[in-house]
Amino acid sequence: MAPDELETLQQMAAFPDEERQKEKTRAAEQARDESASGTTATTSRSPLKPRTRHRIDALYEPSDSMRNLGLTVLDWGDSPRWRTYSDEAKFLFSIGLQRFPPLREILRLAASEDANVRKLALKYFLEKFSTQYRDYTPDKFGDIAFIPAIDPNGKEFLTKHSQVFLESGCQLLGLAVIRSDLKDDAQTKLKLAKYPSGGAATSAVIRDPPTTEEKAKRLFEYLTNFLGDFDPGSLLQLKVSKIIPTTSSKLVKPCECYFKSEVQANLRSKLFTFVDFGARANTFLRTCGVRNAPTPEDLALTLIADPDEFYGLAGGPEGFKVELKYLAANFDYITPSTKQKMKRSPILLGVQRIEEKDTEKDAGVDSSDSTKDGDTVNVSYQLLRADQIVIIDDANLYAEFSDILYGAPQEDALESFYSSLGSPRLGQLVKEEYKPKGEMRDSPEAIKIRKLVLERLPLFLHRMLASQIRIRPEWMQNSRNFVVKKVGRLVLQKTLVFCGRRAVKDSEASAAAKRETLSNTLVLYIAHNIPLDLYEVANSLCKYIISTPKENDSAAFTLILSTDLATLRRRGYNVDRILNQRKIEREAAAKSAKAGGSVWPNTRTREEAIMDSILQMVDSLDDGNDSKPYTDLLKDLLFFGSGGKHPLGWMQSSSSGAGNGQPTPESDIEKRVKQAINACRPEARNRLQNREGIDFIKESRKECYCDIAGREGDLVRIGAVDNVRIYAGKDVQDPEGLLLKTKSKTIDRFISILRPLKKVYKLPDESLHIFYDLEGSTIAFNSDGALFLNLRYFESWHDTQVKQGELIKAMMAWFFTLSHEIAHNLIGSHSAEHSRFMNEISQAHLLALFDELQLVRFAHITC
């Protein structure tokens, strides 16, 4: 046939289907049935429908498989029988006869309401997949529900490709799974996913969360299988969704609960939700936001949410204070926004103590204590904001105003915590005005009290840290800095303005201290009209001498002021310094009386007494062993330039010459020493390279000298301790772990030696540095003014002594080490000039050194 004839044939509805033939067959079967039964048809048979004709491409080949699928097939007849590979069949196929149903059609048949048809269609699709339907992709046919699935209740139904999965565990999510007999073909031919995507699983869990702990355990264990498929957005959704059942049948969010532990605090278990679904399930929950334990931030937010409930669950004030201490210790881990909420919330425990007579006892207070006089101290507690509570830095003030104040618990950690949240100190709120009436000049009692205070003050301060002391006894020795005045009457008016209230208290005082604004003089007033109370003397002075005085500080100072020296000695106080000073004063007075002069006729005589004390101390330090090089050097310095006479020459003039046979002016020496000290500086670099070390040669017993041993070696900064930068050599493995952890105590002891020496030399802040290496002879070096000291040599030579409380030898050794290195700020080489500069620097600071050594010795003997 010509092409145009073929095209015409294809377009013509000229091909019959088998429907008429089927009607004929049905009619013949009906007639046969009637004849066999001997009955006659009561109604006339309906005439056969007219033959329907179709275009060739609307018909399928007349095979049994096409007929069983209910498709419209070509009416071929029985003679000859249809043969797929005959020439006639090939011709019909060539002009458009359908050999098998298209992909969409077979899937439509698989979704048919006729169970038999859909069964055969799905079977045909799967059997012919590799030859006829390899182009099947789920995304093109996602709208057809043709896949047999089983829902979580076991019911079979047809569903779309995206709503059914392979693994049976998906039923825990409320999702359908493929019918079991189709699993072999489900992944390769139907191309089903094993499990849903992380996003789909998230939606399923949120939509239908588990209601029991057993279901939750199985679900969370299953979700762990594809935990990596959950994107951050899905995990965030789960974190803030109520998906975890608890024993109380309540659902909670992962971000609101924590894993159980053996050391779980009783209060925490009341405040927070703890869960445990097993190790595998907990892995999934940890990813969703469940944490091991509540953080300080969590505890703070819970406290803010309901302070009263928190207080009740804590079991009262003591349990509540335990939680406040925990927050105080971890305050740095709380976010700034939460800290602001804490400041605005009534979350802090305020304590009010009111002394009342027993007849006036208030039954509504929390607790009470009886006083010796039979009165009752009522103690009440209330949750308040930080700005409604005062920090009690003056017990007497608090006793006077306690009826209108709530104070913070008197514990250092809690006071610091309250202060961080905005609680003011009571001493800052009270304005004290002293009204002395009638000064009594040249009072022997005032002189006596001043002498008593100055004499006993070192005994009181020796056990305190340097950071706690605001005024040193040495400063108070100056008659212009500390003055005692006796007055006829002393009225103390105290005015408190706090939380919108104003209260004024007047009282008679036997003693009170005041700091003059202009002269900065500390004045102690003592009254004539009432007996002197040494507690008032101690308490008023403590406010100025100590940074944060406590009630027991005033009591301790009172005890020292009021007890005789013999009793203090029996109680362990070192009173030898006081007795020695008194002996010196008696001898000086006797000498002055004999000569007809004053006790201290001139400064030079007083310096002689001082230097005698220094020499006695040096002799007492010389044990003939390790300390001898230093005591010898101290004596050499004391007598330097004096020709072996009393060491006053270097106090009045220099031992060095100007190069022309004339003494160097003292002003030049002082200027040079000051220049060397000021040249010291902090080291800003994190790495030092190619350093030049200055080594002490420890084999020499008579003197200390040094060589310059040039060697390459890097130092790397690893941190800082108490504002002292710490460096390590490149040969040190894990320097942070070794120095900041393993050797942290050794570093602390080294710094305890260097701190007073820094004060002696008045070195600039952070100009001292510590380094550590594993080998080499470098004890210390000067890097452009930055002073570096070797921890390894301190540990080898002095650490054992310092650990036992013997600080003096170590201080002397490192005093000269620093003097040596400071001298390198003036000259780099080791020459006679360097030695001269070192001597000048040492001499200029010897008195300050001995002051520090005396303090150390005094503290050691007392302890």
Side-chain angles (χ1 to χ4, degrees), residues 218-239:
R218 289 190 285 116
L219 172 61
F220 298 147
E221 286 178 345
Y222 175 70
L223 291 174
T224 306
N225 294 333
F226 53 100
L227 185 57
D229 291 354
F230 287 82
D231 57 66
S234 297
L235 293 174
L236 181 60
Q237 278 186 284
L238 291 170
K239 181 178 181 179

Side-chain angles (χ1 to χ4, degrees), residues 130-349:
S130 59
T131 57
Q132 297 170 190
Y133 301 118
R134 296 184 65 180
D135 293 337
Y136 166 74
T137 53
D139 54 336
K140 293 182 180 179
F141 305 98
D143 58 328
I144 303 176
F146 73 97
I147 301 176
I150 307 297
D151 68 11
N153 297 320
K155 182 181 178 181
E156 182 176 342
F157 70 106
L158 293 180
T159 188
K160 298 175 183 178
H161 177 275
S162 61
Q163 298 173 348
V164 62
F165 302 94
L166 282 175
E167 293 187 352
S168 59
C170 293
Q171 290 183 315
L172 297 170
L173 291 163
L175 302 176
V177 297
I178 190 69
R179 201 173 65 199
S180 59
D181 61 304
L182 298 174
K183 277 190 175 181
D184 293 340
D185 294 322
Q187 187 171 10
T188 57
K189 297 178 180 179
L190 295 178
K191 300 181 180 179
L192 295 183
K194 288 184 177 181
Y195 39 74
S197 65
T202 297
S203 299
V205 174
I206 295 174
R207 183 175 61 252
D208 185 20
T211 55
T212 66
E213 292 187 356
E214 179 59 32
K215 289 181 179 179
K217 182 176 186 298
R218 289 190 285 116
L219 172 61
F220 298 147
E221 286 178 345
Y222 175 70
L223 291 174
T224 306
N225 294 333
F226 53 100
L227 185 57
D229 291 354
F230 287 82
D231 57 66
S234 297
L235 293 174
L236 181 60
Q237 278 186 284
L238 291 170
K239 181 178 181 179
V240 297
S241 301
K242 294 183 177 181
I243 62 171
I244 301 177
T246 63
T247 52
S248 59
S249 301
K250 181 179 71 172
L251 291 174
V252 296
K253 302 173 184 177
C255 64
E256 296 175 342
C257 56
Y258 310 88
F259 293 118
K260 291 181 180 177
S261 66
E262 295 180 359
V263 294
Q264 185 177 309
N266 185 43
L267 176 60
R268 302 287 198 278
S269 64
K270 298 176 183 177
L271 293 172
F272 302 100
T273 301
F274 291 86
V275 297
D276 184 7
F277 293 97
R280 186 169 176 79
N282 288 350
T283 299
F284 174 76
L285 291 177
R286 182 174 285 105
T287 308
C288 293
V290 179
R291 289 164 290 173
N292 290 329
T295 63
E297 175 86 0
D298 298 328
L299 192 67
L301 291 174
T302 303
L303 173 59
I304 293 168
D306 195 338
D308 291 329
E309 181 185 13
F310 192 109
Y311 180 84
L313 293 174
E318 293 306 318
F320 191 75
K321 283 196 290 185
V322 170
E323 300 306 317
L324 291 181
K325 290 177 186 177
Y326 173 79
L327 291 175
N330 296 277
F331 193 63
D332 291 342
Y333 299 101
I334 299 175
T335 61
S337 60
T338 300
K339 290 178 181 177
Q340 290 300 319
K341 294 178 183 178
M342 295 172 73
K343 291 180 180 180
R344 299 191 296 266
S345 303
I347 62 169
L348 298 182
L349 187 66

Side-chain angles (χ1 to χ4, degrees), residues 465-635:
L465 299 175
S467 59
Q468 295 177 280
I469 302 173
R470 293 170 59 188
I471 297 179
R472 306 291 301 183
E474 296 82 358
W475 182 86
M476 294 177 64
Q477 291 285 350
N478 190 314
S479 59
R480 290 173 297 181
N481 293 339
F482 175 52
V483 176
V484 180
K485 295 182 179 181
K486 187 171 183 179
V487 294
R489 180 168 175 257
L490 184 62
V491 177
L492 177 58
Q493 185 179 82
K494 302 173 184 177
T495 305
L496 169 68
V497 179
F498 183 58
C499 289
R501 289 182 292 181
R502 184 175 185 273
V504 179
K505 305 281 186 179
D506 285 342
S507 60
E508 291 280 348
S510 69
K514 180 181 179 181
R515 195 79 178 262
E516 298 288 349
T517 305
L518 296 178
S519 64
N520 207 31
T521 301
L522 179 60
V523 180
L524 175 66
Y525 293 101
I526 57 175
H528 176 71
N529 64 320
I530 59 176
L532 180 63
D533 185 351
L534 288 177
Y535 179 80
E536 291 187 5
V537 173
N539 187 64
S540 58
L541 289 175
C542 280
K543 289 188 292 185
Y544 295 99
I545 295 173
I546 305 173
S547 56
T548 54
K550 299 292 188 296
E551 183 175 4
N552 59 339
D553 292 332
S554 298
F557 194 16
T558 303
L559 178 66
I560 292 174
L561 290 174
S562 59
T563 307
D564 62 83
L565 293 179
T567 303
L568 289 176
R569 183 198 291 274
R570 288 197 302 271
R571 293 177 181 177
Y573 288 94
N574 181 16
V575 300
D576 291 341
R577 182 185 181 191
I578 297 175
L579 297 175
N580 290 337
Q581 181 64 29
R582 288 183 177 180
K583 180 180 178 182
I584 292 173
E585 291 175 0
R586 287 196 302 270
E587 292 175 351
K591 182 178 180 181
S592 176
K594 184 176 180 180
S598 62
V599 176
W600 298 111
N602 53 54
T603 304
R604 185 176 179 84
T605 305
R606 184 174 184 273
E607 289 171 345
E608 283 186 339
I610 294 174
M611 294 313 302
D612 284 336
S613 297
I614 291 175
L615 288 172
Q616 290 176 15
M617 180 179 176
V618 172
D619 288 334
S620 69
L621 293 174
D622 187 358
D623 59 6
N625 297 314
D626 294 339
S627 62
K628 186 170 180 58
Y630 307 115
T631 54
D632 287 347
L633 186 53
L634 283 173
K635 291 178 181 178

Side-chain angles (χ1 to χ4, degrees), residues 33-90:
D33 291 341
E34 291 175 353
S35 174
S37 61
T39 60
T40 305
T42 57
T43 58
S44 59
R45 297 187 181 91
S46 60
L48 297 174
K49 293 180 182 180
R51 183 185 293 272
T52 303
R53 296 184 181 276
H54 307 269
R55 285 176 43 169
I56 189 64
D57 58 3
L59 298 173
Y60 293 87
E61 70 167 320
S63 63
D64 290 340
S65 59
M66 298 299 103
R67 292 188 185 97
N68 293 337
L69 292 173
L71 297 172
T72 304
V73 299
L74 178 67
D75 186 4
W76 180 255
D78 294 330
S79 180
R81 290 181 61 82
W82 172 262
R83 290 182 297 117
T84 301
Y85 298 104
S86 66
D87 292 337
E88 296 88 344
K90 292 178 180 178

Side-chain angles (χ1 to χ4, degrees), residues 339-471:
K339 290 178 181 177
Q340 290 300 319
K341 294 178 183 178
M342 295 172 73
K343 291 180 180 180
R344 299 191 296 266
S345 303
I347 62 169
L348 298 182
L349 187 66
V351 183
Q352 187 176 53
R353 301 173 65 90
I354 303 176
E355 185 174 325
E356 297 178 351
K357 299 295 182 181
D358 285 342
T359 56
E360 301 173 352
K361 183 176 179 181
D362 184 359
V365 296
D366 295 332
S367 62
S368 63
D369 297 314
S370 296
T371 65
K372 292 182 179 179
D373 298 328
D375 296 338
T376 298
V377 177
N378 293 324
V379 182
S380 62
Y381 300 95
Q382 187 170 342
L383 296 181
L384 301 167
R385 297 192 312 271
D387 60 3
Q388 296 174 316
I389 301 173
V390 299
I391 296 172
I392 304 169
D393 56 353
D394 189 315
N396 289 332
L397 284 179
Y398 181 64
E400 292 187 54
F401 294 100
S402 62
D403 56 331
I404 61 171
L405 291 177
Y406 278 90
Q410 291 184 278
E411 300 181 35
D412 290 343
L414 290 180
E415 287 182 348
S416 177
F417 178 53
Y418 278 49
S419 178
S420 299
L421 293 177
S423 293
R425 294 189 174 275
L426 178 56
Q428 298 171 344
L429 299 174
V430 177
K431 180 181 178 182
E432 294 185 343
E433 184 178 358
Y434 299 95
K435 298 180 178 180
K437 306 292 184 179
E439 181 179 350
M440 304 170 67
R441 297 182 181 277
D442 301 325
S443 168
E445 186 179 3
I447 297 173
K448 178 182 176 182
I449 293 300
R450 184 180 188 277
K451 181 179 180 181
L452 176 67
V453 170
L454 293 176
E455 183 181 76
R456 305 295 177 92
L457 185 59
L459 296 179
F460 170 60
L461 296 178
H462 82 282
R463 290 178 179 173
M464 291 190 175
L465 299 175
S467 59
Q468 295 177 280
I469 302 173
R470 293 170 59 188
I471 297 179

Side-chain angles (χ1 to χ4, degrees), residues 803-851:
K803 195 183 302 183
Q804 296 171 353
E806 299 173 7
L807 282 64
I808 292 179
K809 295 175 184 177
M811 288 179 65
M812 287 194 296
W814 292 99
F815 170 84
F816 291 111
T817 301
L818 287 173
S819 172
H820 180 105
E821 300 305 331
I822 293 170
H824 278 298
N825 288 336
L826 300 174
I827 186 170
S829 63
H830 285 152
S831 59
E833 192 173 14
H834 173 270
S835 298
R836 178 162 56 87
F837 290 156
M838 176 182 170
N839 287 337
E840 290 175 355
I841 293 168
S842 301
Q843 291 170 1
H845 297 91
L846 271 180
L847 287 179
L849 171 65
F850 278 107
D851 284 344

